[in-house]
């Protein structure tokens, strides 16, 4: 029971990370295509300004909770996906410093470097997270000791890559909508239009991914066992449809929230299929890392549950407040401000 | 080079690089909070400009601290997976608590603070930097409790082939951890104090914003003085704790080979680990080591030869780092006292002000050296007496570690140069003019 509660919490942390940092990563990916003038560039950067750092902590928390609640899964996942994780790490480091460094020096060469780094540091994490999770859904080549029998290229199979493309698109639509929400005039219009165009591609890729998932993974086993769970599909499908509807009426906040629902729904749908495994083994189901064979002691799980139940609501409360305080439409005076990006 | 050696090298590089930025974050967040609170209390615009100026340097420093912090969490799993599996029940929880209780608070309110100057009331804005200061210090507390478990494992039971939590309070109240917490935080605060002294001196020497920087100087000097004194006194107690709990580390710190009653301390000494002796020992202070370790001039101090070879830490590195830390540690209170003495007649002491500019790097060196003593001195153990570092490494190919080590080293070098360049640029530029 405790293990299952922690599986749920583990899933929630990843889902919230995708939902929140998703728009930063998506916006960073769109950056070279969206921002034309220096002014527009700075609008895009400041649209993520006060948020990206707090969003990234959801990843650190997701990693930390994997370590605390399922230490064996943490050990196998992080050492097995070694090179992919270091690429992710380097990309995220570049993303963070690009935002902080770019506007500190008024020199086109300096700024160009950090703009390229921002794009790479946003696009690569989206892609790598998608590739990594798709491979987890599919199963990793884990032997009986949990040693990963493969390398970076093992992960770059068609299903893994499709997962990567899916994440890039999910985040890009999400980021485009965020920019439409916070930008105005031409930038708002183009961001919205870009999100709508990408939405069509996303819908196609999502359907393909779902179909491929039925073939390449065992995620549907749980659903076939208890078909009621299929009702969960209403979240991603509903989110996807609603986001398109609100794009049409240019109600950007609602469209963004619907897109957030899509991301949460896709994650939830996949994790229900994964349960109770955390890292299925593609070599032999018996070698899979599950919540049962990787969990911490009941005492640790109980103490950590107390910690999570106290702090996560507090975190949600103040992050919600920070979003309310800063998610207004950007104006010229937001750029003149000296700490602005 | 094998995966173990490369992983150790990478861990040392990534952690020491991260720790360049951590202590200034810990100390300067508090100093900026104090400055901004003065502004809220007095309405004096100078304090606002002061908080903004030091706050800008704080943010540039913070940027690299935060992005390189993710590496630290990841690398326990990537490079030390056997360790993670073995002690994750305890160590992993402490990291998770650090993230949920501290990192969220720190990272959310740093954004609120940086972007909120015109959006929040002055009180709310000052509160947000206090929350950042509280959170970064809380995160130090939890990570040092986690490190305390590696230094002096307590509150666990061996079950299912791993160390499982038996007594959470024992883990959290680990006396060794609390010595480290006080020692590290005092070090961070004195570093921030000397940072403020050095940069203030630079501007006062150039007659730039003399009033504002004299005020900064007088705030910084209190930190430098109080915490450099505390560091010496508490450092002594910390040393006594090491003697009790990790006698092999103490012997390496002092390069003491033979077990001795009334052990002396040599002012100058060159270790010769090959031949298990010191190549040179001059200027002994009789009984000093016994006194320092056990508060008794006659006490017996265990020498390295009394430990099996495979249980001894690397002697030369531990010894040299310890000497560096202690030597600098005694210099700081003297400098701080002098700075305190002249705090009201700064412009009459240009030479000392110039000296203070060059003092800025010294606390950094002392703090890094201190961590080398703590971590290298703990070898060959990753968890003292419980798990060896050699047993903790992930089953990964050395080529993978070679790639990540080279990539991280190049990246960190470039980022470090860019960040220090930006820090220097904005430190020189000084505060925005008053309007």
């Amino acid at each position: 029971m405790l293990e299952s509660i922690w599986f749920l919490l583990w899933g929630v942390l990843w889902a919230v990370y995708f939902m929140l940092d998703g728009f930063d990563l998506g916006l960073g990916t769109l950056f070279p295509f969206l921002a034309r003038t220096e002014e527009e560039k700075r609008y895009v950067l400041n649209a993520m300004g006060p948020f990206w750092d707090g969003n990234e902590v959801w990843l650190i928390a997701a990693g930390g909770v994997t370590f605390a609640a399922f230490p064996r899964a943490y050990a196998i996942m992080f050492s097995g996906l070694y090179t992919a994780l270091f690429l992710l790490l380097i990309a995220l480091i570049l993303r963070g410093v690009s935002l902080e460094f770019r506007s500190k020096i008024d020199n086109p060469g300096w700024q160009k470097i950090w703009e390229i780094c921002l794009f790479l540091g946003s696009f690569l994490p989206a892609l790598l997270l998608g590739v990594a999770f798709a491979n987890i859904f599919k199963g990793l080549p884990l032997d009986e000791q949990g040693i990963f029998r493969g390398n970076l290229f093992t992960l770059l199979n068609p299903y893994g890559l499709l997962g990567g493309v899916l994440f890039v698109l999910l985040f890009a639509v999400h980021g485009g909508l965020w920019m439409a929400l916070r930008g105005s005039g031409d930038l708002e219009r183009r961001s919205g239009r870009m999100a709508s165009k990408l939405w069509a591609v996303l819908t196609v890729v999502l359907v393909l991914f779902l179909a491929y998932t039925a073939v390449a993974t065992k995620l549907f086993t749980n659903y076939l066992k208890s078909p009621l769970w299929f009702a969960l599909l209403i979240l991603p499908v509903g989110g996807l449809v609603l986001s398109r509807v609100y794009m049409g009426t240019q109600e950007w906040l609602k469209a963004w929230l619907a897109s957030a629902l899509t991301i949460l729904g896709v994650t939830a749908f996949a994790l229900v299929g994964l349960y109770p495994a955390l890292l299925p083994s593609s070599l032999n189901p018996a070698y899979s890392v599950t919540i049962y064979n990787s969990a911490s002691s009941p005492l640790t799980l109980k103490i950590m549950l107390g910690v999570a139940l106290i702090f996560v609501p507090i975190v949600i409360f103040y992050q919600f407040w920070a979003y309310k305080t800063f998610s207004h439409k950007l104006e010229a005076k937001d750029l003149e401000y000296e700490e602005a990006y | 080079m094998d995966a173990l050696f490369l992983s150790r090298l990478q861990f040392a590089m990534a952690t020491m690089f991260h720790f360049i930025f951590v202590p200034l974050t810990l100390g300067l967040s508090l100093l900026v909070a104090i400055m901004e609170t003065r502004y809220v209390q007095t309405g004096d615009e100078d304090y606002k400009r002061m908080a903004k100026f030091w706050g800008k340097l704080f943010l540039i420093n913070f940027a690299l601290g935060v992005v390189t912090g993710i590496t630290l969490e990841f690398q326990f799993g990537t490079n030390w997976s056997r360790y993670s599996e073995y002690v994750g029940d305890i160590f992993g929880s402490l990291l998770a608590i650090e993230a949920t209780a501290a990192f969220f608070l720190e990272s959310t309110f740093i954004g609120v603070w940086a972007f909120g100057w015109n959006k929040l009331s002055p009180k709310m804005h000052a509160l947000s930097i206090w929350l950042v200061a509280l959170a970064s210090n809380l995160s130090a507390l939890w990570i040092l409790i986690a490190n305390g478990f590696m230094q002096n494992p307590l509150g666990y039971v061996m079950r299912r082939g791993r160390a499982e939590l038996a007594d959470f309070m024992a883990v959290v109240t680990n006396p060794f951890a609390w010595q480290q917490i006080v020692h590290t935080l005092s070090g961070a605060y004195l570093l921030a104090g000397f940072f403020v002294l050095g940069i203030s001196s630079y501007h006062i020497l150039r007659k730039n914003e003399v009033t504002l920087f004299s005020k900064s100087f007088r705030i910084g000097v209190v930190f430098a003085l109080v915490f450099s004194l505390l560091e010496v006194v508490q450092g002594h107690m910390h040393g006594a704790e090491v003697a009790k709990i990790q006698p092999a580390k103490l012997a390496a710190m002092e390069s003491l080979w033979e077990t001795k009653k009334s052990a002396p301390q040599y002012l100058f000494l060159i270790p010769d680990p090959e031949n298990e002796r010191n190549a040179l020992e001059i200027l002994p202070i009789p009984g000093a080591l016994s006194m320092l370790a056990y508060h008794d001039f006659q006490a017996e101090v265990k020498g390295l030869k009394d430990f099996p070879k495979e249980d001894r830490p690397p002697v030369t590195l531990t010894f040299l780092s310890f000497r560096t830390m202690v030597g600098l540690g005694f210099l700081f209170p003297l400098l701080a006292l002098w700075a305190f003495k002249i705090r009201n007649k700064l412009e009459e002491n240009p030479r000392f002000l110039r000296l203070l500019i060059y003092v800025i790097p010294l606390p950094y060196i002392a703090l890094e050296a201190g961590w080398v003593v703590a971590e290298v001195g703990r070898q060959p153990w990753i968890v003292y007496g419980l798990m060896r570092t050699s047993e903790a490494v992930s089953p990964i190919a050395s080529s993978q570690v070679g790639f990540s080590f080279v990539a991280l080293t190049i990246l960190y070098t470039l980022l470090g140069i860019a960040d220090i360049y930006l820090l220097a640029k904005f430190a020189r530029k000084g505060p925005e003019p008053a309007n």
Side-chain angles (χ1 to χ4, degrees):
Chain A
M1 187 62 199
L2 262 177
E3 291 93 344
S4 298
I5 294 174
W6 270 105
F7 182 85
L8 177 70
L9 270 168
W10 179 78
V12 167
L13 289 174
W14 281 109
V16 174
Y17 172 66
F18 296 149
M19 172 181 86
L20 291 180
D21 212 15
F23 80 75
D24 297 327
L25 296 173
L27 199 44
T29 307
L30 295 183
F31 179 82
F33 312 103
L34 200 54
R36 291 177 183 162
T37 61
E38 171 64 14
E39 199 191 4
E40 286 187 353
K41 284 177 184 172
R42 296 197 54 213
Y43 274 121
V44 175
L45 299 176
N46 284 289
M48 346 174 200
F51 307 116
W52 71 269
D53 194 0
N55 293 345
E56 198 173 88
V57 182
W58 288 92
L59 172 68
I60 299 173
V65 156
T66 317
F67 198 174
F70 308 108
R72 185 160 172 265
Y74 169 78
I76 291 171
M77 178 176 168
F78 278 63
S79 59
L81 305 179
Y82 189 95
T83 305
L85 274 167
F86 266 93
L87 290 174
L88 173 69
L89 192 64
I90 288 169
L92 287 173
I93 290 174
L94 285 179
R95 187 267 299 255
V97 292
S98 310
L99 288 165
E100 293 293 338
F101 284 2
R102 181 196 174 274
S103 303
K104 294 266 188 305
I105 294 181
D106 216 355
N107 172 304
W110 168 272
Q111 298 188 341
K112 190 80 211 159
I113 292 172
W114 297 116
E115 286 164 20
I116 295 167
C117 288
L118 175 68
F119 168 72
L120 291 175
S122 304
F123 170 74
L124 271 179
L127 184 76
L128 287 165
L129 285 165
V131 169
F133 272 87
N135 274 284
I136 289 173
F137 301 156
K138 183 167 142 327
L140 300 171
L142 300 175
D143 69 12
E144 67 270 45
Q145 292 176 313
I147 296 173
F148 182 82
R149 296 285 169 205
N151 55 40
L152 181 66
F153 299 101
T154 318
L155 304 177
L156 301 179
N157 52 70
Y159 181 71
L161 287 170
L162 188 64
V165 173
L166 175 68
F167 267 53
V168 171
L169 285 166
L170 273 171
F171 292 176
V173 170
H174 204 42
L177 290 173
W178 183 256
M179 196 60 239
L181 173 66
R182 296 211 60 199
S184 43
D186 191 40
L187 186 59
E188 176 186 348
R189 247 192 327 277
R190 275 190 290 119
S191 303
R193 212 181 310 138
M194 200 172 270
S196 314
K197 277 188 196 151
L198 288 170
W199 181 91
V201 189
L202 169 65
T203 307
V204 174
V205 170
L206 193 58
V207 170
L208 276 177
F209 186 77
L210 211 61
Y212 204 165
T213 298
V215 185
T217 77
K218 298 197 176 71
L219 289 193
F220 280 97
T221 321
N222 281 344
Y223 288 94
L224 295 174
K225 251 188 277 173
S226 22
L228 260 183
W229 280 105
F230 272 114
L232 211 58
L233 269 177
I234 198 156
L235 298 179
V237 174
L240 202 61
V241 172
L242 281 177
S243 68
R244 186 64 192 87
V245 171
Y246 291 126
M247 282 181 217
T249 57
Q250 306 200 350
E251 288 171 275
W252 303 124
L253 179 62
K254 286 181 184 169
W256 185 83
L257 289 171
S259 155
L261 184 67
T262 316
I263 294 178
L264 294 177
V266 169
T267 314
F269 189 75
L271 293 187
V272 166
L274 198 62
Y275 179 87
L278 291 160
L279 306 168
S281 168
S282 58
L283 302 182
N284 181 340
Y287 303 159
S288 294
V289 179
T290 69
I291 58 171
Y292 302 111
N293 67 21
S294 75
S296 279
S297 63
L299 179 61
T300 293
L301 292 181
K302 272 182 218 155
I303 290 176
M304 289 309 296
L305 190 59
V307 170
L309 291 179
I310 293 169
F311 284 104
V312 173
I314 298 176
V315 171
I316 292 173
F317 170 75
Y318 61 64
Q319 287 210 337
F320 185 77
W321 171 81
Y323 270 90
K324 261 192 74 168
T325 311
F326 290 98
S327 57
H328 54 81
K329 280 229 178 274
L330 288 161
E331 299 164 48
K333 71 171 183 335
D334 292 306
L335 300 189
E336 285 157 21
Y337 170 64
E338 63 200 86
E339 292 306 337
Y341 288 145
Chain B
M1 285 191 277
D2 58 358
L4 172 64
F5 179 74
L6 285 166
S7 292
R8 291 182 64 182
L9 211 56
Q10 177 173 296
F11 193 94
M13 190 280 290
T15 311
M16 290 178 79
F17 185 80
H18 176 63
F19 202 72
I20 295 174
F21 307 97
V22 171
L24 190 65
T25 298
L26 294 171
L28 199 53
S29 58
L30 277 171
L31 284 165
V32 173
I34 291 168
M35 292 166 185
E36 197 176 341
T37 306
R38 298 284 292 153
Y39 164 63
V40 174
Q41 286 170 339
T42 63
D44 179 350
E45 286 287 322
D46 260 7
Y47 281 113
K48 184 178 181 181
R49 292 197 302 132
M50 195 192 284
K52 277 197 167 179
F53 169 72
W54 295 106
K56 179 135 205 150
L57 302 186
F58 172 77
L59 288 174
I60 295 170
N61 174 75
F62 185 84
L64 269 203
V66 76
V67 293
T68 55
I70 321 171
T71 318
L72 297 198
E73 191 204 44
F74 276 29
Q75 65 184 350
F76 290 111
T78 50
N79 295 72
W80 307 100
S81 65
R82 294 205 164 104
Y83 163 82
S84 301
E85 201 173 332
Y86 194 68
V87 298
D89 201 70
I90 298 161
F91 191 86
S93 340
L94 297 170
L95 289 199
I97 295 174
E98 186 190 12
T100 42
F103 287 157
F104 275 120
L105 193 64
E106 186 182 29
S107 291
T108 307
F109 281 93
I110 195 76
V112 168
W113 185 78
F115 286 83
W117 279 102
N118 304 329
K119 294 207 172 61
L120 304 175
S121 72
K123 273 190 188 159
M124 191 58 217
H125 193 258
L127 176 67
S128 60
I129 188 73
W130 278 109
L131 288 174
V132 172
L134 170 78
S136 54
N137 281 277
L138 263 182
S139 88
L141 188 141
W142 284 106
I143 195 67
L144 289 170
I145 289 173
N147 184 263
F149 181 79
M150 301 168 82
Q151 303 284 355
N152 179 32
L154 288 177
Y156 68 94
V157 58
M158 293 307 300
R159 209 186 280 143
R160 289 176 275 236
R162 63 182 183 179
E164 291 193 353
L165 185 64
D167 182 352
F168 185 67
M169 284 317 284
V171 173
V172 174
T173 57
N174 185 346
F176 198 95
W178 282 90
Q179 292 281 359
Q180 294 198 111
I181 289 167
V182 179
H183 202 61
T184 309
L185 290 182
S186 305
Y189 300 158
L190 82 86
L191 177 143
F194 277 106
F195 182 85
V196 170
L197 293 184
I199 291 170
S200 300
S201 299
Y202 174 89
H203 287 285
I204 295 167
L205 279 169
R206 274 158 192 74
K207 311 267 182 256
N208 178 32
E209 298 274 5
V210 173
T211 323
L212 188 148
F213 282 110
S214 299
K215 282 182 189 169
S216 299
F217 192 103
R218 284 194 285 272
I219 294 173
V221 76
V222 176
F223 255 53
L225 183 60
V226 170
F227 292 106
S228 59
L229 287 171
L230 179 65
E231 193 74 325
V232 171
V233 177
Q234 187 270 337
H236 166 64
M237 289 159 62
H238 191 19
E241 188 88 6
V242 171
K244 202 169 75 187
I245 290 169
Q246 302 179 328
K249 183 191 271 182
L250 182 85
M253 280 153 63
E254 299 288 353
S255 189
L256 179 73
W257 295 95
E258 310 286 345
T259 299
K260 266 191 200 136
K261 280 196 170 165
S262 185
Q265 226 167 5
Y266 294 92
L267 282 185
F268 191 78
L269 177 161
I270 301 175
D272 179 9
E274 291 280 302
N275 301 306
E276 305 194 327
R277 65 189 183 100
N278 294 326
L280 192 69
E281 295 175 336
I282 43 177
L283 297 172
I285 311 171
L289 180 52
S290 297
M291 177 61 199
L292 282 174
Y294 299 102
H295 306 116
D296 171 5
F297 283 107
Q298 299 303 319
E300 183 180 274
V301 183
K302 252 185 148 189
L304 284 158
K305 281 190 181 174
D306 268 13
F307 299 93
K309 269 196 171 162
E310 68 274 16
D311 289 353
R312 294 180 202 162
V315 178
T316 310
L317 186 55
T318 310
F319 166 79
L320 286 177
S321 306
F322 181 63
R323 282 282 157 120
T324 306
M325 175 186 78
V326 170
L328 290 169
F330 279 112
L331 180 65
F332 297 142
L334 300 177
L335 288 166
L337 267 172
W338 193 260
F340 187 74
K341 201 176 140 244
I342 62 149
R343 71 191 183 285
N344 290 323
K345 40 187 177 194
L346 293 172
E347 286 173 284
E348 295 157 38
N349 292 277
R351 276 203 190 155
F352 186 68
L353 294 186
R354 195 157 299 123
L355 176 69
L356 283 178
I357 302 173
Y358 296 102
V359 169
I360 295 175
L362 298 185
Y364 286 90
I365 296 169
L367 266 70
E368 294 279 2
W371 274 109
V372 173
V373 176
E375 298 293 288
V376 175
R378 192 193 58 231
Q379 304 301 324
W381 304 100
I382 189 165
V383 184
Y384 198 74
L386 198 62
M387 184 185 217
R388 284 172 193 276
T389 309
S390 55
E391 301 163 326
V393 72
S394 302
I396 43 176
S398 58
S399 57
Q400 284 179 302
V401 193
F403 158 76
S404 63
F405 174 64
V406 172
L408 269 190
T409 307
I410 294 171
L411 177 70
Y412 278 12
T413 307
L414 295 175
L415 295 182
I417 292 169
D419 200 71
I420 289 168
Y421 171 76
L422 283 176
L423 265 177
K425 177 183 144 99
F426 286 99
R428 281 208 194 96
K429 190 173 156 221
E432 296 295 316
N435 34 10

